Amino acid sequence: MIRFFPCLLALFHLLLGSAAAVAAPNIVFILADDLGYGDLSCYGQRHFTTPHLDRMAAEGLRFTAHYSGSTVCAPSRACLHTGLHTGHGYQRFNGQIQLRPDPQDLIVARLLGNAGYRTALIGKSGLSGRSQNGRHPNEKGFDHFFVYISHGAAHRYYPKFLWRNGEKVDYPDNHGKEGNRYSGELFLADALEFLEQQDSRRPFYLHLSLQQPHADLAVPDRWREPFIGKFDEEPYEGGHYRGEAHPKATFAGMVTYLDHSVGQVLDKLRELQLAENTLVIFSSDNGPMSEGGWHRNNFDSDGPLRGGKRDLYEGGIRVPTIAWWPGTITAGRVTDHVSAFWDFMPTACELAGINPPEGIDGVSYAPTLLDRPQLQHDYLYWEFYERGGKQAVRHGDWKGVRLNVGKDRQGPLEVYNLADDLAESNNVAAENPEVARRLAEIMAEAHVPYDQISV
């Protein structure tokens, strides 16, 4: 059924009025890394505040049921770029994999570029896991990029080198875990410079993919020091990740630095008088981490949800998401529209006035942004290949989770009613056999074997 959504969506908007009536806006998508549903004060965080993101929510639209593409980095970002969920996409896991050359794995940047947009990727590349191809983002449709190509390298905040438009940029005073040039400051400066180069004659798409608050725990002292002494700390000696004497203060500093970065982007758009023709979306690639001297329970990073990174319970995949477009998005709105990363491609295409590719899984949420009638998903689906393998599906208010899929694809199914049990604490599969049967059917329907995709 999902494969017919592009046609249904076109008819739906002909009947109800399309976002194409709005002049093609600039689009900025800012992505955090491992930020939990409860890590922003506008989503309930009480240990520190995020005033710029809180203001963004107050001036825009806050999503309460938006989902990431996966519960770890690479497949989640692939869903964002390609409009496909992990049952249909090529990049379904972390590791030695990258999106394939066009026309395979067509991404948003290529579609918008073909429509006249100038496109940029700054930060952590979401196009590959551990590629060493320094031109890969250009090859996939980005006019400008300044990035970590490898996700493994992006664990470090003091890079020995980055890639800019196919050229290696060395930082000899950086040593990975320590150094003089903090990657967040480098990426923010490049993003602001990119914005300053734009004008009203050509729309642009900027994907600003920031690392915070992924481990390593690292942030310049001026962001960490205000929090030192405010929390009971358990120093982390380090290992694969950087050691840190004040993990809680550092984490709070990292999220407030992330908040500052978003504020700088919004302020620059205002300064350049681009704000009213620019849609800015902020989100996170998956739920909160518990690694590198940090645990999501320290600051209730998962909020009212269960689980975090590497789980397919809500805490692993439901993410804080805010949309801001002054003069177009009504300020202060909150939506419970159920949406996911694979919806970004058709949303961007609709706003740009172009057709999305056939066969994607996404449904444009442009109507929700514009406060118009919204087509709903029949279901959302995820699959995950670590920790024994997992599947999950959301169908209305029903949520199904299956564990240990690697051993048994027909194994026991957990069933939760999210309307009554957001924390997924009460498995009601036994009381709802017909619901469980339908959720199992969807899991089978949504999964295309990987060997059929990878040819």
Side-chain angles (χ1 to χ4, degrees):
M1 178 176 173
I2 191 75
R3 296 298 183 173
F4 294 100
F5 271 175
C7 297
L8 288 174
L9 191 59
L11 176 60
F12 186 77
H13 289 150
L14 282 173
L15 295 173
L16 295 173
S18 171
V22 178
N26 308 310
I27 300 172
V28 177
F29 198 112
I30 305 175
L31 188 62
D33 198 338
D34 289 3
L35 185 79
Y37 189 82
D39 276 330
L40 305 182
S41 43
C42 56
Y43 282 84
Q45 180 56 241
R46 294 291 177 264
H47 295 273
F48 53 85
T49 61
T50 51
H52 300 288
L53 283 158
D54 294 353
R55 180 183 174 186
M56 182 180 179
E59 295 177 351
L61 173 65
R62 184 168 64 89
F63 287 75
T64 61
H66 189 75
Y67 291 88
S68 63
S70 181
T71 188
V72 293
C73 298
S76 183
R77 294 157 188 263
C79 294
L80 181 73
H81 287 297
T82 65
L84 297 171
H85 63 55
T86 46
H88 293 150
Y90 174 70
Q91 189 163 305
R92 302 188 186 189
F93 43 83
N94 282 339
Q96 298 283 5
I97 188 170
Q98 67 182 40
L99 294 181
R100 298 167 295 180
D102 295 351
Q104 295 177 306
D105 304 326
L106 198 63
I107 69 170
V108 175
R110 177 69 71 200
L111 299 174
L112 293 178
N114 290 345
Y117 277 68
R118 185 169 184 232
T119 59
L121 169 61
I122 298 170
K124 177 176 175 177
S125 171
L127 308 177
S128 61
R130 301 192 186 113
S131 173
Q132 298 304 312
N133 178 5
R135 293 198 56 80
H136 189 234
N138 281 147
E139 294 168 358
K140 291 303 296 175
F142 283 101
D143 300 319
H144 169 76
F145 72 88
F146 180 47
V147 299
Y148 290 94
I149 292 290
S150 165
H151 282 196
H155 290 180
R156 308 293 174 234
Y157 285 86
Y158 295 94
K160 297 178 182 180
F161 64 89
L162 295 169
W163 289 95
R164 183 193 298 275
N165 299 325
E167 300 294 330
K168 201 175 190 181
V169 181
D170 292 312
Y171 298 96
D173 294 331
N174 279 358
H175 310 286
K177 295 180 180 180
E178 307 292 342
N180 294 327
R181 304 297 301 275
Y182 186 65
S183 58
E185 294 176 339
L186 295 170
F187 294 142
L188 177 59
D190 198 66
L192 298 180
E193 181 179 356
F194 174 80
L195 293 177
E196 288 172 350
Q197 294 171 351
Q198 310 311 307
D199 58 44
S200 60
R201 291 172 293 180
R202 183 181 180 189
F204 62 85
Y205 165 50
L206 167 62
H207 180 41
L208 178 56
S209 176
L210 300 172
Q211 298 159 268
Q212 295 83 10
H214 193 297
D216 289 337
L217 295 179
V219 73
D221 286 345
R222 72 187 184 98
W223 297 97
R224 181 185 64 157
E225 288 176 352
F227 297 103
I228 292 178
K230 291 191 173 183
F231 313 113
D232 294 330
E233 298 276 17
E234 183 176 341
Y236 174 60
E237 293 184 0
H240 171 71
Y241 290 112
R242 175 183 178 273
E244 175 52 57
H246 301 91
K248 292 181 180 178
T250 303
F251 182 88
M254 292 172 77
V255 179
T256 53
Y257 180 80
L258 172 70
D259 177 71
H260 159 78
S261 299
V262 174
Q264 290 287 294
V265 171
L266 300 186
D267 285 348
K268 180 60 68 173
L269 291 169
R270 293 185 185 99
E271 174 192 326
L272 298 173
Q273 298 183 354
L274 294 171
E276 291 191 356
N277 194 38
T278 303
L279 167 64
V280 182
I281 300 173
F282 172 87
S283 193
S284 175
D285 65 347
N286 49 250
M289 67 175 182
S290 294
E291 55 195 342
W294 181 254
H295 196 283
R296 63 179 183 266
N297 291 344
N298 289 344
F299 289 161
D300 297 321
S301 290
D302 49 3
L305 310 178
R306 175 182 179 180
K309 184 176 181 179
R310 294 187 173 84
D311 294 319
L312 289 182
Y313 299 113
E314 293 291 285
I317 51 178
R318 190 186 290 220
V319 287
T321 303
I322 303 167
W324 181 87
W325 188 355
T328 297
I329 291 178
T330 303
R333 288 174 52 218
V334 178
T335 180
D336 61 359
H337 171 57
V338 178
S339 53
F341 270 23
W342 47 92
D343 295 335
F344 175 62
M345 173 182 274
T347 301
C349 287
E350 181 174 354
L351 294 173
I354 59 177
N355 292 322
E358 293 291 331
I360 63 171
D361 297 302
V363 175
S364 171
Y365 51 75
T368 292
L369 301 179
L370 303 174
D371 203 14
R372 297 175 180 172
Q374 171 70 55
L375 188 66
Q376 304 296 318
H377 279 279
D378 181 33
Y379 62 81
L380 302 179
Y381 172 78
W382 302 263
E383 56 187 59
F384 180 55
Y385 288 71
E386 298 178 28
R387 298 184 177 180
K390 305 174 183 181
Q391 289 177 292
V393 63
R394 176 165 178 172
H395 177 53
D397 287 328
W398 295 106
K399 174 83 176 290
V401 178
R402 179 180 279 144
L403 307 179
N404 299 313
V405 175
K407 291 184 178 180
D408 184 3
R409 295 199 65 84
Q410 307 302 320
L413 187 69
E414 301 172 17
V415 176
Y416 303 96
N417 185 343
L418 298 178
D420 300 328
D421 182 22
L422 186 60
E424 294 170 291
S425 58
N426 185 23
N427 178 4
V428 295
E431 297 92 329
N432 297 275
E434 288 303 308
V435 172
R437 180 190 61 79
R438 177 58 185 144
L439 295 176
E441 288 176 350
I442 293 172
M443 287 182 175
E445 173 188 332
H447 168 74
V448 174
Y450 187 70
D451 59 5
Q452 295 181 25
I453 298 292
S454 57
V455 294

